[in-house]
Amino acid sequence: DVKVTQSSRYLVKRTGEKVFLECVQDMDHENMFWYRQDPGLGLRLIYFSYDVKMKEKGDIPEGYSVSREKKERFSLILESASTNQTSMYLCASSLHGGGGSGGYTFGSGTRLTVV
Amino acid sequence: AQSVTQLDSQVPVFEEAPVELRCNYSSSVSVYLFWYVQYPNQGLQLLLKYLSGSTLVKGINGFEAEFNKSQTSFHLRKPSVHISDTAEYFCAVTMMDSSYKLIFGSGTRLLVRP
């Protein structure tokens, strides 16, 4: 089974801190994604990457950046954390574009609280 | 543009009763359709998917969904639910082309009561 591993399940950071959320997948998937999940809003796409060193903005990229130096690792960076970035963050990967016939494989999520 | 609508934000149901979670989509091209489940404090897990062929697809944990092209719907059903089915369910769609993104609905919380 494909595994997507997010390094932290829970994280508490202070306003203004630079925050790194790490995601690693072990099945050589081309595409990786970062979503945030908030009650009543579902999943919203922050950034995605379809190849090493490639990135594309999703629907809500403001306040975030990403890094993909290796195929298996996709990092989400909060340049200066703010309280409105308190959320559940989900990483996902897929072999084909749009999930193709396989859909996405998700990590367990990181619940970030910014105080 | 694609969109996915899950009409019910929460569905309460008694244990062993049947349930249907509704999903409608909008797209100008053919689509792949998915249902995901999220248990508390976990990531999303693929329940089932429709790619082509038979419009009735079966997934894990006794769930099934029916694709209706004329009504642009992909409703999820289970004939008899268990307490352990309490979770949030997400419908998602992607175009059958080079699009990189799944578009998710806002989710339906299924609450199974004893």
Side-chain angles (χ1 to χ4, degrees), chain B residues 51-62:
Chain B
L51 307 178
S52 64
S54 172
T55 57
L56 183 65
V57 292
K58 295 188 184 297
I60 61 173
N61 301 339

Side-chain angles (χ1 to χ4, degrees), chain B residues 1-6 23-28 31 33 72 91-95 103-106:
Chain B
Q2 291 173 289
S3 67
V4 179
T5 302
Q6 291 182 247
C23 173
N24 287 88
Y25 68 93
S26 171
S27 177
S28 56
V31 296
L33 295 154
T72 60
C91 183
V93 62
T94 189
M95 293 188 291
I103 307 298
F104 287 88
S106 56

Side-chain angles (χ1 to χ4, degrees), chain B residues 4-76:
Chain B
V4 179
T5 302
Q6 291 182 247
L7 295 167
D8 305 303
S9 59
Q10 182 164 304
V11 173
V13 63
F14 287 108
E15 193 174 19
E16 297 183 8
V19 70
E20 178 179 85
L21 305 184
R22 295 180 293 169
C23 173
N24 287 88
Y25 68 93
S26 171
S27 177
S28 56
V29 299
S30 296
V31 296
Y32 293 135
L33 295 154
F34 303 83
W35 274 99
Y36 286 84
V37 60
Q38 185 181 34
Y39 298 104
N41 295 313
Q42 293 188 27
L44 276 69
Q45 178 183 358
L46 183 65
L47 255 186
L48 50 77
K49 59 188 177 187
Y50 172 77
L51 307 178
S52 64
S54 172
T55 57
L56 183 65
V57 292
K58 295 188 184 297
I60 61 173
N61 301 339
F63 283 93
E64 62 183 31
E66 186 156 21
F67 170 55
N68 187 320
K69 188 174 183 179
S70 62
Q71 297 188 2
T72 60
S73 67
F74 190 53
H75 301 331
L76 181 70

